[in-house]
Amino acid sequence: MSRRVLLTGATGFIGRHLPALLTERGYDVTPVSRATGVDLLAPGAAEAVVAAAQPTHLLHLAWYAVPGAFWTSPENVRWVEASLALLRAFVAAGGERAVMAGTCAEYDWSGGVCVEGVTPLAPATLYGRAKNALREVAEGYAEQEGRSLAWGRIFFVYGPGEAPGRLVSSVAEALVSGEEAMTSEGDQRRDFLHVEDLAGAFAALLDSAVTGPVNLASGEAPAVREIVDEVARAAGRPELVRRGAVPTREGDPPLIAADFTRLREEVGWRPRHTLREGIEDTVAWWRSTTLPAR
């Protein structure tokens, strides 16, 4: 029987890697995004795209993702509404299994290591609250309608094509351009995953029978300074790093990491990239797209 997946956010940072991965797993993929002419925020868009694709599976990545602004933007509320409309249309059309993208910002970060079903959920931002609210309604609705639904919680991601202004992208862009990279002291530890690995984790989760929240992460949390050092080593410009030039944000958690036992043991997935390999890949991409400083 044909397995047809509707992939939203298909041209985004994560989504662009998924059509090939899903095709390899035997899915017929219908990729949609604003770049393909589909605006899921438009009235009736969800119903129209589901009617056209007739999907058996749904992988929903689309969301408002402008760097920095996404934490507090009212667009988060619109995306909760649009995502529920999409899920309703999918269920009404006979869809069988859905995977939706969540975030580590749903968790209470005070404990450091986040475990599904154990770590309290206490989102501190509108983005985290919107995602958590969507998860609660989506899970209840899927259970009521007898559908399979998993929720992939994204932690920290980097890689080729990342928008400027994030940790790895900002340091890499500066250094390959011969400019100074301003960073904090970097004592905080974070769980980063290469974007191709994150896409692979989503594909594996969709292809599994696992339901409920699943942390999508590496399970390792190096200090931010170690990540910056890897970027500097790959770029060959460690002398341009200005550590401590940016103050550490007040209240910034010292550790945000994932327990990825469910991902490893139930989904059966592990990352392919080491941090060093992933950073080298990312810096190489920035070299190919960034002009040297004059």
Side-chain angles (χ1 to χ4, degrees):
M1 181 179 176
S2 174
R3 298 192 301 171
R4 301 175 302 279
V5 58
L6 176 62
L7 170 65
T8 74
T11 56
F13 180 44
I14 303 166
R16 70 187 68 167
H17 300 281
L18 274 153
L21 293 173
L22 294 168
T23 299
E24 289 174 3
R25 289 178 175 268
Y27 291 91
D28 293 328
V29 183
T30 299
V32 299
S33 69
R34 282 181 173 165
T36 68
V38 177
D39 180 2
L40 289 172
L41 296 178
E47 293 80 4
V49 74
V50 168
Q54 288 296 300
T56 58
H57 291 66
L58 169 65
L59 180 48
H60 180 43
L61 304 180
W63 200 269
Y64 180 78
V66 175
F70 73 90
W71 292 109
T72 57
S73 174
E75 290 294 298
N76 286 294
V77 179
R78 296 185 69 199
W79 274 104
V80 172
E81 297 167 347
S83 300
L84 290 174
L86 179 64
L87 184 60
R88 286 199 309 271
F90 174 72
V91 169
E96 300 166 7
R97 175 166 172 78
V99 171
M100 308 180 89
T103 171
C104 66
E106 298 166 55
Y107 284 120
D108 176 353
W109 284 341
S110 63
V113 177
C114 302
V115 185
E116 306 97 323
V118 176
T119 301
L121 299 174
T125 61
L126 180 58
Y127 171 66
R129 289 182 176 186
K131 286 286 191 177
N132 191 51
L134 173 60
R135 177 198 56 81
E136 287 190 343
V137 176
E139 285 186 336
Y141 179 57
E143 181 179 357
Q144 176 179 291
E145 298 299 319
R147 301 304 199 274
S148 173
L149 185 139
W151 184 259
R153 284 199 179 114
I154 301 169
F155 277 65
F156 299 88
V157 60
Y158 72 97
E162 183 179 16
R166 299 176 187 259
L167 173 65
V168 174
S169 62
S170 64
V171 174
E173 183 180 26
L175 296 185
V176 302
S177 300
E179 300 173 355
E180 293 182 338
M182 307 298 182
T183 74
S184 69
E185 290 293 344
D187 293 327
Q188 61 273 48
R189 295 165 56 200
R190 299 291 185 264
D191 192 325
F192 273 85
L193 189 64
H194 190 281
V195 64
E196 291 178 5
D197 283 332
L198 179 56
F202 267 115
L205 180 57
L206 183 73
D207 211 24
S208 75
V210 174
T211 60
V214 178
N215 292 336
L216 304 186
S218 69
E220 299 179 358
V224 164
R225 65 174 177 274
E226 296 176 47
I227 297 170
V228 171
D229 287 346
E230 285 291 349
V231 177
R233 183 196 63 79
R237 302 304 302 266
E239 76 281 2
L240 292 178
V241 175
R242 299 292 177 261
R243 201 183 312 280
V246 177
T248 300
R249 292 193 305 271
E250 184 177 354
D252 202 20
L255 172 65
I256 303 175
D259 180 300
F260 86 140
T261 302
R262 291 204 79 199
L263 183 60
R264 183 185 65 239
E265 297 185 0
E266 297 182 41
V267 178
W269 182 90
R270 291 175 180 269
R272 293 191 304 108
H273 295 80
T274 64
L275 179 63
R276 175 159 293 189
E277 292 167 346
I279 293 294
E280 288 175 348
D281 177 51
T282 303
V283 170
W285 182 85
W286 278 104
R287 278 204 182 100
S288 73
T289 57
T290 304
L291 294 174
R294 296 182 182 183

